[in-house]
CSV table of all heavy atoms in Angstrom, one decimal:
chain,number,residue,atom,x,y,z
M,2,LYS,N,17.0,-14.3,-13.4
M,2,LYS,CA,16.7,-15.6,-12.8
M,2,LYS,C,15.4,-15.6,-12.0
M,2,LYS,O,15.2,-14.7,-11.2
M,2,LYS,CB,17.9,-16.0,-11.9
M,2,LYS,CG,19.2,-16.2,-12.6
M,2,LYS,CD,20.3,-16.6,-11.6
M,2,LYS,CE,21.7,-16.8,-12.3
M,2,LYS,NZ,22.7,-17.1,-11.3
M,4,TYR,N,13.3,-17.6,-9.5
M,4,TYR,CA,13.2,-18.6,-8.6
M,4,TYR,C,11.7,-19.0,-8.4
M,4,TYR,O,10.9,-18.2,-8.0
M,4,TYR,CB,13.8,-18.2,-7.2
M,4,TYR,CG,15.3,-18.0,-7.3
M,4,TYR,CD1,15.8,-16.7,-7.6
M,4,TYR,CD2,16.2,-19.0,-7.2
M,4,TYR,CE1,17.2,-16.5,-7.7
M,4,TYR,CE2,17.6,-18.8,-7.3
M,4,TYR,CZ,18.1,-17.5,-7.5
M,4,TYR,OH,19.4,-17.3,-7.7
M,31,ILE,N,14.7,-21.3,-12.0
M,31,ILE,CA,15.4,-22.1,-11.1
M,31,ILE,C,14.4,-22.5,-10.0
M,31,ILE,O,13.7,-21.7,-9.4
M,31,ILE,CB,16.6,-21.2,-10.4
M,31,ILE,CG1,17.5,-20.8,-11.5
M,31,ILE,CG2,17.2,-22.0,-9.3
M,31,ILE,CD1,18.6,-19.8,-11.0
M,41,TYR,N,12.8,-20.7,1.1
M,41,TYR,CA,13.5,-20.7,-0.2
M,41,TYR,C,14.4,-19.4,-0.3
M,41,TYR,O,14.0,-18.4,0.2
M,41,TYR,CB,12.6,-20.8,-1.4
M,41,TYR,CG,11.7,-21.9,-1.4
M,41,TYR,CD1,10.4,-21.8,-0.8
M,41,TYR,CD2,12.0,-23.1,-2.0
M,41,TYR,CE1,9.5,-22.9,-0.8
M,41,TYR,CE2,11.1,-24.2,-2.1
M,41,TYR,CZ,9.9,-24.1,-1.5
M,41,TYR,OH,9.0,-25.1,-1.5
M,42,VAL,N,15.4,-19.5,-1.1
M,42,VAL,CA,16.2,-18.3,-1.6
M,42,VAL,C,16.3,-17.1,-0.7
M,42,VAL,O,15.9,-16.0,-1.1
M,42,VAL,CB,15.6,-17.9,-3.0
M,42,VAL,CG1,15.8,-19.0,-4.0
M,42,VAL,CG2,14.1,-17.5,-2.9
M,43,ASN,N,16.8,-17.3,0.5
M,43,ASN,CA,17.0,-16.2,1.4
M,43,ASN,C,17.9,-15.1,0.9
M,43,ASN,O,17.7,-13.9,1.1
M,43,ASN,CB,17.5,-16.7,2.8
M,43,ASN,CG,16.4,-17.3,3.6
M,43,ASN,OD1,15.2,-17.1,3.4
M,43,ASN,ND2,16.8,-18.0,4.6
M,44,SER,N,18.8,-15.5,0.0
M,44,SER,CA,19.8,-14.5,-0.5
M,44,SER,C,19.1,-13.6,-1.5
M,44,SER,O,19.5,-12.5,-1.7
M,44,SER,CB,21.0,-15.2,-1.2
M,44,SER,OG,20.5,-16.1,-2.2
M,45,SER,N,18.1,-14.1,-2.2
M,45,SER,CA,17.4,-13.3,-3.2
M,45,SER,C,16.1,-12.6,-2.6
M,45,SER,O,15.8,-11.5,-3.0
M,45,SER,CB,17.0,-14.2,-4.4
M,45,SER,OG,18.1,-14.7,-5.0
M,46,ASN,N,15.4,-13.3,-1.7
M,46,ASN,CA,14.3,-12.8,-1.1
M,46,ASN,C,14.4,-12.9,0.4
M,46,ASN,O,14.4,-14.0,0.9
M,46,ASN,CB,13.0,-13.5,-1.6
M,46,ASN,CG,11.7,-13.0,-1.0
M,46,ASN,OD1,11.7,-12.2,-0.1
M,46,ASN,ND2,10.6,-13.4,-1.6
M,47,PRO,N,14.5,-11.8,1.2
M,47,PRO,CA,14.7,-11.9,2.6
M,47,PRO,C,13.6,-12.6,3.3
M,47,PRO,O,13.7,-13.1,4.4
M,47,PRO,CB,14.8,-10.4,3.0
M,47,PRO,CG,14.2,-9.6,1.9
M,47,PRO,CD,14.5,-10.4,0.7
M,48,LEU,N,12.4,-12.7,2.6
M,48,LEU,CA,11.3,-13.5,3.2
M,48,LEU,C,11.4,-15.0,3.0
M,48,LEU,O,10.7,-15.8,3.6
M,48,LEU,CB,10.0,-13.0,2.6
M,48,LEU,CG,9.6,-11.5,2.9
M,48,LEU,CD1,8.4,-11.1,2.1
M,48,LEU,CD2,9.5,-11.2,4.4
M,49,GLY,N,12.4,-15.4,2.2
M,49,GLY,CA,12.6,-16.8,1.9
M,49,GLY,C,11.5,-17.5,1.1
M,49,GLY,O,11.3,-18.6,1.3
M,50,LYS,N,10.8,-16.7,0.3
M,50,LYS,CA,9.7,-17.2,-0.5
M,50,LYS,C,9.9,-17.2,-2.0
M,50,LYS,O,10.8,-16.4,-2.4
M,50,LYS,CB,8.4,-16.4,-0.1
M,50,LYS,CG,8.0,-16.5,1.4
M,50,LYS,CD,7.0,-15.4,1.7
M,50,LYS,CE,5.7,-15.7,1.0
M,50,LYS,NZ,4.6,-14.7,1.4
M,52,PRO,N,7.7,-16.8,-5.7
M,52,PRO,CA,8.7,-16.5,-6.6
M,52,PRO,C,9.6,-15.3,-6.2
M,52,PRO,O,9.2,-14.4,-5.4
M,52,PRO,CB,8.0,-16.1,-7.9
M,52,PRO,CG,6.7,-15.5,-7.4
M,52,PRO,CD,6.4,-16.2,-6.2
M,53,ALA,N,10.8,-15.2,-6.8
M,53,ALA,CA,11.7,-14.1,-6.7
M,53,ALA,C,12.4,-13.9,-8.0
M,53,ALA,O,12.8,-14.9,-8.6
M,53,ALA,CB,12.7,-14.3,-5.5
M,54,LEU,N,12.5,-12.7,-8.5
M,54,LEU,CA,13.1,-12.4,-9.8
M,54,LEU,C,14.4,-11.7,-9.5
M,54,LEU,O,14.4,-10.5,-9.2
M,54,LEU,CB,12.2,-11.6,-10.6
M,54,LEU,CG,12.7,-11.3,-12.1
M,54,LEU,CD1,12.8,-12.6,-12.9
M,54,LEU,CD2,11.7,-10.4,-12.8
M,55,GLU,N,15.5,-12.4,-9.8
M,55,GLU,CA,16.8,-11.8,-9.6
M,55,GLU,C,17.2,-11.1,-11.0
M,55,GLU,O,17.2,-11.8,-12.0
M,55,GLU,CB,17.8,-12.9,-9.3
M,55,GLU,CG,19.2,-12.4,-8.8
M,55,GLU,CD,20.0,-13.6,-8.3
M,55,GLU,OE1,20.7,-14.1,-9.1
M,55,GLU,OE2,19.9,-13.9,-7.1
M,56,ARG,N,17.6,-9.9,-10.9
M,56,ARG,CA,18.0,-9.1,-12.1
M,56,ARG,C,19.4,-8.5,-11.9
M,56,ARG,O,19.7,-7.9,-10.9
M,56,ARG,CB,17.0,-7.9,-12.3
M,56,ARG,CG,15.6,-8.4,-12.3
M,56,ARG,CD,14.6,-7.2,-12.4
M,56,ARG,NE,14.8,-6.4,-11.2
M,56,ARG,CZ,14.5,-5.1,-11.1
M,56,ARG,NH1,14.0,-4.5,-12.2
M,56,ARG,NH2,14.6,-4.4,-10.0
M,60,VAL,N,17.8,-4.6,-7.9
M,60,VAL,CA,17.3,-5.3,-6.7
M,60,VAL,C,16.4,-6.5,-7.2
M,60,VAL,O,15.8,-6.4,-8.2
M,60,VAL,CB,16.5,-4.4,-5.7
M,60,VAL,CG1,17.5,-3.4,-5.1
M,60,VAL,CG2,15.4,-3.8,-6.4
M,61,THR,N,16.4,-7.5,-6.4
M,61,THR,CA,15.5,-8.7,-6.7
M,61,THR,C,14.1,-8.3,-6.4
M,61,THR,O,13.8,-7.6,-5.4
M,61,THR,CB,16.0,-9.9,-5.8
M,61,THR,OG1,17.3,-10.3,-6.2
M,61,THR,CG2,15.0,-11.0,-6.0
M,62,LEU,N,13.2,-8.7,-7.2
M,62,LEU,CA,11.8,-8.4,-7.1
M,62,LEU,C,11.0,-9.5,-6.5
M,62,LEU,O,11.3,-10.7,-6.7
M,62,LEU,CB,11.2,-8.1,-8.4
M,62,LEU,CG,11.7,-6.8,-9.2
M,62,LEU,CD1,11.0,-6.7,-10.5
M,62,LEU,CD2,11.6,-5.6,-8.3
M,63,PHE,N,10.1,-9.2,-5.6
M,63,PHE,CA,9.2,-10.1,-5.0
M,63,PHE,C,8.0,-9.2,-4.5
M,63,PHE,O,8.2,-8.0,-4.4
M,63,PHE,CB,9.8,-10.9,-3.8
M,63,PHE,CG,10.5,-10.1,-2.8
M,63,PHE,CD1,9.7,-9.5,-1.7
M,63,PHE,CD2,11.8,-9.8,-2.9
M,63,PHE,CE1,10.3,-8.7,-0.8
M,63,PHE,CE2,12.4,-9.0,-1.9
M,63,PHE,CZ,11.7,-8.4,-0.9
Side-chain angles (χ1 to χ4, degrees):
K2 295 180 180 179
Y4 294 91
I31 300 173
Y41 302 89
V42 295
N43 281 343
S44 61
S45 295
N46 181 348
L48 298 174
K50 297 168 65 178
L54 183 66
E55 193 175 88
R56 305 172 300 154
V60 295
T61 296
L62 296 180
F63 54 86

